[in-house]
Amino acid sequence: MSPNPSRPSNSDPLQKALDDSEKELRRRLEDACEAEAKGVSTESTEEIRRLEDNLLAAASAAKQTLALRGQMKRRTQAERQRPESSAHESGGNNVVMGVREFTDDEGRSWRAWSVVPGQSRASSSGGQFLGGFQNGWICFEGLNVSARRRLPFPREKWPNISDDELRHLLRQAIDAPLRERRNRAS
């Protein structure tokens, strides 16, 4: 649990929570080890309860640490699946075009991003499985609802797409399976 210089800055709330959780785990384990080194009196109920409290708190901090690390790992994997954000000038403002958020005709919020399939181990035969999606697609994800949709769309057109066009494309998109979220902390 030594500090890792390649970690993101503490402005990341997950990283801050992870640092706090690891600090608490370290502190509780040190307290328990110190009590054992001093020779916990098995005749003193109070000392045994204090040791039990420290061990339970350490177990809880360990569980939280594992959950936070898993959440950060899943976030990193999701970010890798999304394309690099490309910026372009729009009226003098620098606009990030990798992931877009917009509202549909019914007022629901959506997130959309362009996806380009990578080289698969199946080499050039991969196209037969992707069909119309082999040149890329747009992935739509509902922000306030559990919904995902996809639509074949060439990546090179992505930076110039308007919100009106996104709404139109969303209506044409097909439903995509939702990813199951596993709760590994339980």
Side-chain angles (χ1 to χ4, degrees):
M1 285 183 286
S2 61
N4 183 347
S6 65
R7 284 186 173 173
S9 72
N10 281 345
S11 63
D12 178 357
L14 283 180
Q15 183 63 52
K16 170 107 176 66
L18 178 61
D19 291 344
D20 292 345
S21 180
E22 288 177 343
K23 184 178 177 181
E24 177 69 6
L25 174 59
R26 209 173 290 112
R27 185 177 73 79
R28 294 299 187 154
L29 288 174
E30 286 170 358
D31 288 350
C33 289
E34 186 178 306
E36 199 281 326
K38 287 181 180 176
V40 175
S41 170
T42 56
E43 296 160 8
S44 169
T45 305
E46 185 179 329
E47 285 183 43
I48 293 173
R49 283 200 177 125
R50 198 174 311 124
L51 179 61
E52 178 187 36
D53 289 346
N54 275 326
L55 292 173
L56 287 172
S60 177
K63 191 174 186 178
Q64 183 177 7
T65 297
L66 290 171
L68 286 165
R69 285 183 181 180
Q71 189 174 357
M72 291 174 75
K73 183 178 180 181
R74 287 187 298 278
R75 180 183 66 183
T76 299
Q77 289 170 341
E79 287 170 356
R80 285 185 191 144
Q81 289 176 349
R82 292 188 178 159
E84 297 173 20
S85 296
S86 59
H88 78 283
E89 293 297 316
S90 174
N93 297 325
N94 197 19
V95 179
V96 176
M97 297 303 295
V99 177
R100 301 270 305 273
E101 290 186 5
F102 68 100
T103 305
D104 69 11
D105 297 328
E106 282 117 37
R108 293 178 298 221
S109 297
W110 290 82
R111 180 176 293 139
W113 62 93
S114 177
V115 178
V116 177
Q119 290 289 335
S120 70
R121 285 182 237 172
S123 69
S124 61
S125 66
Q128 68 187 3
F129 300 110
L130 294 173
F133 291 86
Q134 68 185 354
N135 294 322
W137 62 90
I138 297 176
C139 186
F140 297 95
E141 180 177 59
L143 295 180
N144 300 327
V145 294
S146 295
R148 281 186 85 137
R149 297 181 188 168
R150 293 186 193 134
L151 182 72
F153 193 82
R155 181 186 181 126
E156 53 276 356
K157 293 183 180 182
W158 177 248
N160 301 318
I161 197 167
S162 70
D163 284 357
D164 285 337
E165 289 172 300
L166 277 175
R167 281 188 278 279
H168 176 73
L169 294 170
L170 175 65
R171 289 190 297 270
Q172 296 175 23
I174 60 172
D175 287 335
L178 294 172
R179 292 185 184 171
E180 247 183 68
R181 296 191 187 256
R182 295 183 196 138
N183 186 358
R184 296 180 189 199
S186 56

